[in-house]
Amino acid sequence: MLGGGQLGRMMSMAAARLGYKTHIYCPEKNNPAEQVSYRATHADYDDIPALEKFAGEVDVVTYEFENIPVSTVEAITKTTPVYPNSKVLEVSQDRLTEKNFLNDLGIVTAPYEGVSSLAQAVDVLNDISYPAVLKTRRFGYDGKGQAIVKNGDDLIAAWQKLSSDKVIVEGFIDFDIEISVLAIRGQDGEIKCFAPVENQHKNHILDLSIAPARIDDEIRDEAIKQATKIIKEIDYVGVLTVEFFVSKNDPMLRVNEIAPRVHNSGHWTIEACLSSQFEQHIRAICGLPLGDVSFKGEARMTNLIGEDILKMPTLLNDPAANVHHYGKYEVRAGRKMGHVTWLYPDKI
Ligand code: AMP
């Protein structure tokens, strides 16, 4: 596994349940994933001898975050299979490539245009109109590398905040809810999708997931259809997450982005589904049959961010709360420290 965060930790635990031993490869020591894994290698992602040694010691490689250099995956692929493939990394690491790929497939996104100067941004905003969102093409997550422009007056400040010349200008979507679909594709091409989940953010970080999403059946079916199309087209193996904007006044479902990995919005599947997103990913990359995606009942998941983790003793008094601690040594503001899932919740 390339990467040692909480997603790697939960994948490693799912792998252990199926009898596999996981070897974590990441530069950071004391990471959440290696605490529950068989072995760890601490080396940089461009350390080719270390990557080759690692690749020689494992049967199959996957990754838990999408900013792994494509060259790292390509170096490993010479001797050892890597799922998902490096093509999807290239697509999802660059917002412009990603949006072009989706639109070429006939999938609708926010209107967008790539720009490399403030003057070009001004031109594009004349077409796309305000409000709009400026995003750096690469390395954005949880709202980082993003700025909203409400009108021309805040454009210069927004441009300076991003301090990049590889930017995408996107029309602002006045959505009612955000949903995501976690799709899984096996090595034999079998595809399954979990029911769409509804996601609410606070300070640009996922705060609450409600599963299943409170949407009409037609929207549910259309979201699953689109996620299925994307995962099939990219010859993908593993779990792929597709995020959508849903608006009452817009007949179009719009894809915001795709993530080539298990996802925070799928944590509820650990307790609520017969086979979690983590187990499904392991099944897919190991060439096993996919598991059941049906769920036992409604679920809600909330992240424990920063000092929220200190509520753990209280949360553990609630028999309905399934509490997860990621084993991170240091509490930091904005850091994902754990999460809680409630099954069949009346309310939170
Ligand atoms: P992203 O990093 O692209 O996933 O964006 C983070 C969050 O910012 C999304 O989950 C949305 O809540 C919001 N956002 C991103 N792009 C747009 C957009 N074009 N219109 C409205 N809200 C957006």
Side-chain angles (χ1 to χ4, degrees), residues 19-53:
Y20 293 112
K21 293 178 189 153
T22 305
H23 184 156
I24 303 298
Y25 184 109
C26 75
E28 301 86 16
K29 294 197 171 124
N30 298 325
N31 59 72
E34 75 177 72
Q35 294 166 13
V36 300
S37 296
Y38 175 65
R39 278 194 68 184
T41 294
H42 300 122
D44 289 329
Y45 292 118
D46 59 1
D47 184 339
I48 299 292
L51 285 170
E52 284 171 353
K53 184 165 182 294

PDB file of all heavy atoms in Angstrom, residues 19-53:
ATOM      1  N   GLY A  19      -7.295 -12.415   5.455  1.00  0.00           N
ATOM      2  CA  GLY A  19      -6.104 -13.263   5.551  1.00  0.00           C
ATOM      3  C   GLY A  19      -4.859 -12.698   4.889  1.00  0.00           C
ATOM      4  O   GLY A  19      -3.848 -13.384   4.792  1.00  0.00           O
ATOM      5  N   TYR A  20      -4.914 -11.447   4.426  1.00  0.00           N
ATOM      6  CA  TYR A  20      -3.746 -10.844   3.768  1.00  0.00           C
ATOM      7  C   TYR A  20      -2.881 -10.076   4.753  1.00  0.00           C
ATOM      8  O   TYR A  20      -3.370  -9.545   5.757  1.00  0.00           O
ATOM      9  CB  TYR A  20      -4.202  -9.864   2.673  1.00  0.00           C
ATOM     10  CG  TYR A  20      -4.883 -10.533   1.512  1.00  0.00           C
ATOM     11  CD1 TYR A  20      -6.240 -10.338   1.284  1.00  0.00           C
ATOM     12  CD2 TYR A  20      -4.180 -11.353   0.644  1.00  0.00           C
ATOM     13  CE1 TYR A  20      -6.880 -10.949   0.210  1.00  0.00           C
ATOM     14  CE2 TYR A  20      -4.805 -11.968  -0.426  1.00  0.00           C
ATOM     15  CZ  TYR A  20      -6.153 -11.764  -0.636  1.00  0.00           C
ATOM     16  OH  TYR A  20      -6.770 -12.366  -1.689  1.00  0.00           O
ATOM     17  N   LYS A  21      -1.597  -9.973   4.409  1.00  0.00           N
ATOM     18  CA  LYS A  21      -0.671  -9.137   5.180  1.00  0.00           C
ATOM     19  C   LYS A  21      -0.365  -7.904   4.350  1.00  0.00           C
ATOM     20  O   LYS A  21      -0.042  -8.027   3.156  1.00  0.00           O
ATOM     21  CB  LYS A  21       0.628  -9.894   5.431  1.00  0.00           C
ATOM     22  CG  LYS A  21       0.465 -11.087   6.347  1.00  0.00           C
ATOM     23  CD  LYS A  21       1.817 -11.759   6.475  1.00  0.00           C
ATOM     24  CE  LYS A  21       1.697 -13.086   7.183  1.00  0.00           C
ATOM     25  NZ  LYS A  21       2.762 -13.996   6.769  1.00  0.00           N
ATOM     26  N   THR A  22      -0.417  -6.742   4.966  1.00  0.00           N
ATOM     27  CA  THR A  22      -0.194  -5.498   4.219  1.00  0.00           C
ATOM     28  C   THR A  22       1.173  -4.917   4.552  1.00  0.00           C
ATOM     29  O   THR A  22       1.591  -4.891   5.708  1.00  0.00           O
ATOM     30  CB  THR A  22      -1.298  -4.462   4.558  1.00  0.00           C
ATOM     31  OG1 THR A  22      -2.562  -5.074   4.306  1.00  0.00           O
ATOM     32  CG2 THR A  22      -1.171  -3.226   3.714  1.00  0.00           C
ATOM     33  N   HIS A  23       1.839  -4.441   3.515  1.00  0.00           N
ATOM     34  CA  HIS A  23       3.141  -3.777   3.646  1.00  0.00           C
ATOM     35  C   HIS A  23       2.911  -2.314   3.244  1.00  0.00           C
ATOM     36  O   HIS A  23       2.516  -2.042   2.117  1.00  0.00           O
ATOM     37  CB  HIS A  23       4.115  -4.473   2.688  1.00  0.00           C
ATOM     38  CG  HIS A  23       5.517  -3.984   2.760  1.00  0.00           C
ATOM     39  ND1 HIS A  23       6.593  -4.751   2.375  1.00  0.00           N
ATOM     40  CD2 HIS A  23       6.054  -2.797   3.152  1.00  0.00           C
ATOM     41  CE1 HIS A  23       7.716  -4.070   2.530  1.00  0.00           C
ATOM     42  NE2 HIS A  23       7.412  -2.873   2.993  1.00  0.00           N
ATOM     43  N   ILE A  24       3.139  -1.422   4.193  1.00  0.00           N
ATOM     44  CA  ILE A  24       2.909   0.013   3.940  1.00  0.00           C
ATOM     45  C   ILE A  24       4.194   0.651   3.417  1.00  0.00           C
ATOM     46  O   ILE A  24       5.265   0.420   3.980  1.00  0.00           O
ATOM     47  CB  ILE A  24       2.500   0.738   5.244  1.00  0.00           C
ATOM     48  CG1 ILE A  24       1.254   0.099   5.869  1.00  0.00           C
ATOM     49  CG2 ILE A  24       2.294   2.244   5.007  1.00  0.00           C
ATOM     50  CD1 ILE A  24       0.013   0.146   5.044  1.00  0.00           C
ATOM     51  N   TYR A  25       4.066   1.457   2.375  1.00  0.00           N
ATOM     52  CA  TYR A  25       5.223   2.222   1.859  1.00  0.00           C
ATOM     53  C   TYR A  25       4.866   3.695   1.949  1.00  0.00           C
ATOM     54  O   TYR A  25       3.912   4.149   1.293  1.00  0.00           O
ATOM     55  CB  TYR A  25       5.478   1.840   0.397  1.00  0.00           C
ATOM     56  CG  TYR A  25       6.701   2.497  -0.217  1.00  0.00           C
ATOM     57  CD1 TYR A  25       7.847   1.748  -0.502  1.00  0.00           C
ATOM     58  CD2 TYR A  25       6.728   3.863  -0.512  1.00  0.00           C
ATOM     59  CE1 TYR A  25       8.973   2.341  -1.065  1.00  0.00           C
ATOM     60  CE2 TYR A  25       7.848   4.461  -1.064  1.00  0.00           C
ATOM     61  CZ  TYR A  25       8.963   3.700  -1.343  1.00  0.00           C
ATOM     62  OH  TYR A  25      10.071   4.287  -1.901  1.00  0.00           O
ATOM     63  N   CYS A  26       5.567   4.437   2.787  1.00  0.00           N
ATOM     64  CA  CYS A  26       5.342   5.889   2.823  1.00  0.00           C
ATOM     65  C   CYS A  26       6.522   6.554   3.537  1.00  0.00           C
ATOM     66  O   CYS A  26       7.232   5.910   4.304  1.00  0.00           O
ATOM     67  CB  CYS A  26       4.009   6.254   3.476  1.00  0.00           C
ATOM     68  SG  CYS A  26       3.964   6.109   5.234  1.00  0.00           S
ATOM     69  N   PRO A  27       6.745   7.827   3.279  1.00  0.00           N
ATOM     70  CA  PRO A  27       7.902   8.488   3.883  1.00  0.00           C
ATOM     71  C   PRO A  27       7.753   8.696   5.394  1.00  0.00           C
ATOM     72  O   PRO A  27       8.737   8.687   6.119  1.00  0.00           O
ATOM     73  CB  PRO A  27       7.968   9.854   3.173  1.00  0.00           C
ATOM     74  CG  PRO A  27       7.063   9.750   1.994  1.00  0.00           C
ATOM     75  CD  PRO A  27       6.054   8.698   2.321  1.00  0.00           C
ATOM     76  N   GLU A  28       6.522   8.872   5.876  1.00  0.00           N
ATOM     77  CA  GLU A  28       6.329   9.271   7.271  1.00  0.00           C
ATOM     78  C   GLU A  28       6.394   8.068   8.211  1.00  0.00           C
ATOM     79  O   GLU A  28       5.761   7.046   7.952  1.00  0.00           O
ATOM     80  CB  GLU A  28       4.964   9.960   7.465  1.00  0.00           C
ATOM     81  CG  GLU A  28       4.746  11.194   6.623  1.00  0.00           C
ATOM     82  CD  GLU A  28       4.205  10.874   5.226  1.00  0.00           C
ATOM     83  OE1 GLU A  28       3.707   9.747   5.009  1.00  0.00           O
ATOM     84  OE2 GLU A  28       4.305  11.751   4.341  1.00  0.00           O
ATOM     85  N   LYS A  29       7.095   8.272   9.328  1.00  0.00           N
ATOM     86  CA  LYS A  29       7.107   7.218  10.360  1.00  0.00           C
ATOM     87  C   LYS A  29       5.876   7.392  11.252  1.00  0.00           C
ATOM     88  O   LYS A  29       5.233   8.429  11.233  1.00  0.00           O
ATOM     89  CB  LYS A  29       8.372   7.345  11.207  1.00  0.00           C
ATOM     90  CG  LYS A  29       9.614   7.051  10.372  1.00  0.00           C
ATOM     91  CD  LYS A  29      10.821   6.769  11.251  1.00  0.00           C
ATOM     92  CE  LYS A  29      11.948   6.270  10.367  1.00  0.00           C
ATOM     93  NZ  LYS A  29      13.166   7.036  10.472  1.00  0.00           N
ATOM     94  N   ASN A  30       5.576   6.373  12.041  1.00  0.00           N
ATOM     95  CA  ASN A  30       4.454   6.425  12.999  1.00  0.00           C
ATOM     96  C   ASN A  30       3.135   6.781  12.330  1.00  0.00           C
ATOM     97  O   ASN A  30       2.348   7.544  12.868  1.00  0.00           O
ATOM     98  CB  ASN A  30       4.710   7.452  14.114  1.00  0.00           C
ATOM     99  CG  ASN A  30       5.916   7.086  14.926  1.00  0.00           C
ATOM    100  OD1 ASN A  30       6.172   5.909  15.137  1.00  0.00           O
ATOM    101  ND2 ASN A  30       6.668   8.086  15.360  1.00  0.00           N
ATOM    102  N   ASN A  31       2.910   6.285  11.143  1.00  0.00           N
ATOM    103  CA  ASN A  31       1.663   6.632  10.445  1.00  0.00           C
ATOM    104  C   ASN A  31       0.534   5.703  10.906  1.00  0.00           C
ATOM    105  O   ASN A  31       0.780   4.614  11.421  1.00  0.00           O
ATOM    106  CB  ASN A  31       1.887   6.547   8.932  1.00  0.00           C
ATOM    107  CG  ASN A  31       2.328   5.160   8.520  1.00  0.00           C
ATOM    108  OD1 ASN A  31       1.525   4.239   8.539  1.00  0.00           O
ATOM    109  ND2 ASN A  31       3.609   4.977   8.209  1.00  0.00           N
ATOM    110  N   PRO A  32      -0.722   6.149  10.731  1.00  0.00           N
ATOM    111  CA  PRO A  32      -1.854   5.348  11.207  1.00  0.00           C
ATOM    112  C   PRO A  32      -1.924   3.944  10.599  1.00  0.00           C
ATOM    113  O   PRO A  32      -2.319   2.995  11.258  1.00  0.00           O
ATOM    114  CB  PRO A  32      -3.081   6.166  10.768  1.00  0.00           C
ATOM    115  CG  PRO A  32      -2.585   7.571  10.680  1.00  0.00           C
ATOM    116  CD  PRO A  32      -1.148   7.477  10.232  1.00  0.00           C
ATOM    117  N   ALA A  33      -1.522   3.796   9.326  1.00  0.00           N
ATOM    118  CA  ALA A  33      -1.707   2.494   8.663  1.00  0.00           C
ATOM    119  C   ALA A  33      -0.731   1.444   9.176  1.00  0.00           C
ATOM    120  O   ALA A  33      -1.103   0.288   9.383  1.00  0.00           O
ATOM    121  CB  ALA A  33      -1.565   2.664   7.148  1.00  0.00           C
ATOM    122  N   GLU A  34       0.523   1.836   9.411  1.00  0.00           N
ATOM    123  CA  GLU A  34       1.490   0.789   9.760  1.00  0.00           C
ATOM    124  C   GLU A  34       1.252   0.215  11.146  1.00  0.00           C
ATOM    125  O   GLU A  34       1.677  -0.899  11.431  1.00  0.00           O
ATOM    126  CB  GLU A  34       2.936   1.289   9.596  1.00  0.00           C
ATOM    127  CG  GLU A  34       3.406   2.228  10.667  1.00  0.00           C
ATOM    128  CD  GLU A  34       4.890   2.596  10.450  1.00  0.00           C
ATOM    129  OE1 GLU A  34       5.173   3.337   9.510  1.00  0.00           O
ATOM    130  OE2 GLU A  34       5.725   2.127  11.229  1.00  0.00           O
ATOM    131  N   GLN A  35       0.527   0.959  12.003  1.00  0.00           N
ATOM    132  CA  GLN A  35       0.227   0.424  13.338  1.00  0.00           C
ATOM    133  C   GLN A  35      -0.581  -0.873  13.263  1.00  0.00           C
ATOM    134  O   GLN A  35      -0.572  -1.669  14.189  1.00  0.00           O
ATOM    135  CB  GLN A  35      -0.588   1.445  14.147  1.00  0.00           C
ATOM    136  CG  GLN A  35       0.155   2.707  14.483  1.00  0.00           C
ATOM    137  CD  GLN A  35      -0.793   3.797  14.979  1.00  0.00           C
ATOM    138  OE1 GLN A  35      -1.958   3.545  15.298  1.00  0.00           O
ATOM    139  NE2 GLN A  35      -0.302   5.015  15.022  1.00  0.00           N
ATOM    140  N   VAL A  36      -1.302  -1.060  12.165  1.00  0.00           N
ATOM    141  CA  VAL A  36      -2.169  -2.247  12.054  1.00  0.00           C
ATOM    142  C   VAL A  36      -1.719  -3.125  10.886  1.00  0.00           C
ATOM    143  O   VAL A  36      -2.509  -3.933  10.391  1.00  0.00           O
ATOM    144  CB  VAL A  36      -3.651  -1.839  11.890  1.00  0.00           C
ATOM    145  CG1 VAL A  36      -4.140  -1.032  13.084  1.00  0.00           C
ATOM    146  CG2 VAL A  36      -3.873  -1.045  10.601  1.00  0.00           C
ATOM    147  N   SER A  37      -0.484  -2.929  10.427  1.00  0.00           N
ATOM    148  CA  SER A  37      -0.027  -3.669   9.247  1.00  0.00           C
ATOM    149  C   SER A  37       1.138  -4.583   9.577  1.00  0.00           C
ATOM    150  O   SER A  37       1.754  -4.484  10.636  1.00  0.00           O
ATOM    151  CB  SER A  37       0.373  -2.692   8.139  1.00  0.00           C
ATOM    152  OG  SER A  37      -0.770  -1.981   7.734  1.00  0.00           O
ATOM    153  N   TYR A  38       1.473  -5.441   8.631  1.00  0.00           N
ATOM    154  CA  TYR A  38       2.510  -6.450   8.824  1.00  0.00           C
ATOM    155  C   TYR A  38       3.898  -5.845   8.747  1.00  0.00           C
ATOM    156  O   TYR A  38       4.791  -6.172   9.520  1.00  0.00           O
ATOM    157  CB  TYR A  38       2.305  -7.507   7.735  1.00  0.00           C
ATOM    158  CG  TYR A  38       3.343  -8.590   7.683  1.00  0.00           C
ATOM    159  CD1 TYR A  38       3.489  -9.492   8.742  1.00  0.00           C
ATOM    160  CD2 TYR A  38       4.151  -8.732   6.560  1.00  0.00           C
ATOM    161  CE1 TYR A  38       4.437 -10.501   8.673  1.00  0.00           C
ATOM    162  CE2 TYR A  38       5.095  -9.741   6.486  1.00  0.00           C
ATOM    163  CZ  TYR A  38       5.239 -10.624   7.554  1.00  0.00           C
ATOM    164  OH  TYR A  38       6.173 -11.615   7.476  1.00  0.00           O
ATOM    165  N   ARG A  39       4.101  -4.943   7.778  1.00  0.00           N
ATOM    166  CA  ARG A  39       5.434  -4.363   7.574  1.00  0.00           C
ATOM    167  C   ARG A  39       5.307  -2.933   7.109  1.00  0.00           C
ATOM    168  O   ARG A  39       4.263  -2.522   6.598  1.00  0.00           O
ATOM    169  CB  ARG A  39       6.170  -5.125   6.468  1.00  0.00           C
ATOM    170  CG  ARG A  39       6.823  -6.386   6.928  1.00  0.00           C
ATOM    171  CD  ARG A  39       7.798  -6.869   5.875  1.00  0.00           C
ATOM    172  NE  ARG A  39       8.946  -5.974   5.748  1.00  0.00           N
ATOM    173  CZ  ARG A  39       9.891  -6.133   4.838  1.00  0.00           C
ATOM    174  NH1 ARG A  39       9.819  -7.120   3.975  1.00  0.00           N
ATOM    175  NH2 ARG A  39      10.907  -5.302   4.777  1.00  0.00           N
ATOM    176  N   ALA A  40       6.402  -2.187   7.222  1.00  0.00           N
ATOM    177  CA  ALA A  40       6.418  -0.829   6.677  1.00  0.00           C
ATOM    178  C   ALA A  40       7.779  -0.527   6.091  1.00  0.00           C
ATOM    179  O   ALA A  40       8.806  -0.983   6.619  1.00  0.00           O
ATOM    180  CB  ALA A  40       6.081   0.186   7.768  1.00  0.00           C
ATOM    181  N   THR A  41       7.790   0.227   5.003  1.00  0.00           N
ATOM    182  CA  THR A  41       9.019   0.783   4.439  1.00  0.00           C
ATOM    183  C   THR A  41       8.869   2.293   4.491  1.00  0.00           C
ATOM    184  O   THR A  41       7.841   2.823   4.045  1.00  0.00           O
ATOM    185  CB  THR A  41       9.191   0.348   2.959  1.00  0.00           C
ATOM    186  OG1 THR A  41       9.381  -1.062   2.923  1.00  0.00           O
ATOM    187  CG2 THR A  41      10.377   1.046   2.307  1.00  0.00           C
ATOM    188  N   HIS A  42       9.876   2.964   5.060  1.00  0.00           N
ATOM    189  CA  HIS A  42       9.839   4.430   5.067  1.00  0.00           C
ATOM    190  C   HIS A  42      10.834   4.932   4.038  1.00  0.00           C
ATOM    191  O   HIS A  42      12.045   4.821   4.231  1.00  0.00           O
ATOM    192  CB  HIS A  42      10.191   4.986   6.453  1.00  0.00           C
ATOM    193  CG  HIS A  42       9.247   4.507   7.505  1.00  0.00           C
ATOM    194  ND1 HIS A  42       9.649   3.811   8.609  1.00  0.00           N
ATOM    195  CD2 HIS A  42       7.898   4.584   7.585  1.00  0.00           C
ATOM    196  CE1 HIS A  42       8.597   3.488   9.333  1.00  0.00           C
ATOM    197  NE2 HIS A  42       7.514   3.947   8.734  1.00  0.00           N
ATOM    198  N   ALA A  43      10.337   5.416   2.926  1.00  0.00           N
ATOM    199  CA  ALA A  43      11.203   5.954   1.870  1.00  0.00           C
ATOM    200  C   ALA A  43      10.371   6.911   1.033  1.00  0.00           C
ATOM    201  O   ALA A  43       9.137   6.878   1.072  1.00  0.00           O
ATOM    202  CB  ALA A  43      11.746   4.810   1.011  1.00  0.00           C
ATOM    203  N   ASP A  44      11.072   7.746   0.267  1.00  0.00           N
ATOM    204  CA  ASP A  44      10.362   8.723  -0.561  1.00  0.00           C
ATOM    205  C   ASP A  44       9.745   8.057  -1.787  1.00  0.00           C
ATOM    206  O   ASP A  44      10.190   7.001  -2.227  1.00  0.00           O
ATOM    207  CB  ASP A  44      11.338   9.821  -1.010  1.00  0.00           C
ATOM    208  CG  ASP A  44      11.718  10.705   0.176  1.00  0.00           C
ATOM    209  OD1 ASP A  44      10.872  10.864   1.080  1.00  0.00           O
ATOM    210  OD2 ASP A  44      12.861  11.190   0.213  1.00  0.00           O
ATOM    211  N   TYR A  45       8.755   8.753  -2.341  1.00  0.00           N
ATOM    212  CA  TYR A  45       8.060   8.185  -3.497  1.00  0.00           C
ATOM    213  C   TYR A  45       8.914   8.222  -4.771  1.00  0.00           C
ATOM    214  O   TYR A  45       8.535   7.633  -5.776  1.00  0.00           O
ATOM    215  CB  TYR A  45       6.722   8.895  -3.720  1.00  0.00           C
ATOM    216  CG  TYR A  45       5.743   8.597  -2.607  1.00  0.00           C
ATOM    217  CD1 TYR A  45       5.245   9.601  -1.784  1.00  0.00           C
ATOM    218  CD2 TYR A  45       5.346   7.289  -2.354  1.00  0.00           C
ATOM    219  CE1 TYR A  45       4.377   9.312  -0.747  1.00  0.00           C
ATOM    220  CE2 TYR A  45       4.485   6.988  -1.316  1.00  0.00           C
ATOM    221  CZ  TYR A  45       4.000   8.003  -0.523  1.00  0.00           C
ATOM    222  OH  TYR A  45       3.140   7.707   0.506  1.00  0.00           O
ATOM    223  N   ASP A  46      10.063   8.937  -4.731  1.00  0.00           N
ATOM    224  CA  ASP A  46      10.923   8.914  -5.922  1.00  0.00           C
ATOM    225  C   ASP A  46      12.197   8.087  -5.688  1.00  0.00           C
ATOM    226  O   ASP A  46      13.135   8.164  -6.455  1.00  0.00           O
ATOM    227  CB  ASP A  46      11.276  10.345  -6.362  1.00  0.00           C
ATOM    228  CG  ASP A  46      11.988  11.113  -5.258  1.00  0.00           C
ATOM    229  OD1 ASP A  46      12.219  10.535  -4.164  1.00  0.00           O
ATOM    230  OD2 ASP A  46      12.322  12.291  -5.488  1.00  0.00           O
ATOM    231  N   ASP A  47      12.198   7.304  -4.633  1.00  0.00           N
ATOM    232  CA  ASP A  47      13.363   6.466  -4.321  1.00  0.00           C
ATOM    233  C   ASP A  47      13.214   5.143  -5.093  1.00  0.00           C
ATOM    234  O   ASP A  47      12.631   4.165  -4.597  1.00  0.00           O
ATOM    235  CB  ASP A  47      13.401   6.244  -2.801  1.00  0.00           C
ATOM    236  CG  ASP A  47      14.622   5.458  -2.361  1.00  0.00           C
ATOM    237  OD1 ASP A  47      15.213   4.761  -3.196  1.00  0.00           O
ATOM    238  OD2 ASP A  47      14.963   5.538  -1.169  1.00  0.00           O
ATOM    239  N   ILE A  48      13.740   5.119  -6.311  1.00  0.00           N
ATOM    240  CA  ILE A  48      13.500   3.973  -7.203  1.00  0.00           C
ATOM    241  C   ILE A  48      14.034   2.653  -6.615  1.00  0.00           C
ATOM    242  O   ILE A  48      13.295   1.658  -6.601  1.00  0.00           O
ATOM    243  CB  ILE A  48      14.077   4.243  -8.622  1.00  0.00           C
ATOM    244  CG1 ILE A  48      13.374   5.470  -9.241  1.00  0.00           C
ATOM    245  CG2 ILE A  48      13.937   3.023  -9.536  1.00  0.00           C
ATOM    246  CD1 ILE A  48      11.904   5.293  -9.592  1.00  0.00           C
ATOM    247  N   PRO A  49      15.274   2.602  -6.068  1.00  0.00           N
ATOM    248  CA  PRO A  49      15.722   1.317  -5.488  1.00  0.00           C
ATOM    249  C   PRO A  49      14.785   0.839  -4.372  1.00  0.00           C
ATOM    250  O   PRO A  49      14.464  -0.358  -4.301  1.00  0.00           O
ATOM    251  CB  PRO A  49      17.117   1.645  -4.944  1.00  0.00           C
ATOM    252  CG  PRO A  49      17.575   2.821  -5.738  1.00  0.00           C
ATOM    253  CD  PRO A  49      16.354   3.618  -6.048  1.00  0.00           C
ATOM    254  N   ALA A  50      14.316   1.754  -3.525  1.00  0.00           N
ATOM    255  CA  ALA A  50      13.409   1.352  -2.435  1.00  0.00           C
ATOM    256  C   ALA A  50      12.069   0.869  -3.002  1.00  0.00           C
ATOM    257  O   ALA A  50      11.494  -0.120  -2.530  1.00  0.00           O
ATOM    258  CB  ALA A  50      13.188   2.517  -1.474  1.00  0.00           C
ATOM    259  N   LEU A  51      11.606   1.534  -4.056  1.00  0.00           N
ATOM    260  CA  LEU A  51      10.330   1.126  -4.678  1.00  0.00           C
ATOM    261  C   LEU A  51      10.472  -0.264  -5.302  1.00  0.00           C
ATOM    262  O   LEU A  51       9.572  -1.101  -5.183  1.00  0.00           O
ATOM    263  CB  LEU A  51       9.916   2.126  -5.767  1.00  0.00           C
ATOM    264  CG  LEU A  51       9.359   3.471  -5.291  1.00  0.00           C
ATOM    265  CD1 LEU A  51       9.233   4.438  -6.462  1.00  0.00           C
ATOM    266  CD2 LEU A  51       7.997   3.305  -4.612  1.00  0.00           C
ATOM    267  N   GLU A  52      11.625  -0.498  -5.952  1.00  0.00           N
ATOM    268  CA  GLU A  52      11.828  -1.799  -6.599  1.00  0.00           C
ATOM    269  C   GLU A  52      11.903  -2.923  -5.561  1.00  0.00           C
ATOM    270  O   GLU A  52      11.351  -4.008  -5.763  1.00  0.00           O
ATOM    271  CB  GLU A  52      13.103  -1.765  -7.452  1.00  0.00           C
ATOM    272  CG  GLU A  52      12.869  -0.989  -8.745  1.00  0.00           C
ATOM    273  CD  GLU A  52      14.137  -0.729  -9.550  1.00  0.00           C
ATOM    274  OE1 GLU A  52      15.245  -1.032  -9.051  1.00  0.00           O
ATOM    275  OE2 GLU A  52      14.010  -0.211 -10.660  1.00  0.00           O
ATOM    276  N   LYS A  53      12.572  -2.632  -4.453  1.00  0.00           N
ATOM    277  CA  LYS A  53      12.686  -3.646  -3.389  1.00  0.00           C
ATOM    278  C   LYS A  53      11.291  -3.969  -2.833  1.00  0.00           C
ATOM    279  O   LYS A  53      10.916  -5.124  -2.685  1.00  0.00           O
ATOM    280  CB  LYS A  53      13.610  -3.105  -2.286  1.00  0.00           C
ATOM    281  CG  LYS A  53      13.895  -4.086  -1.179  1.00  0.00           C
ATOM    282  CD  LYS A  53      15.084  -3.604  -0.342  1.00  0.00           C
ATOM    283  CE  LYS A  53      15.434  -4.586   0.760  1.00  0.00           C
ATOM    284  NZ  LYS A  53      14.422  -4.719   1.786  1.00  0.00           N
TER     285      LYS A  53
END
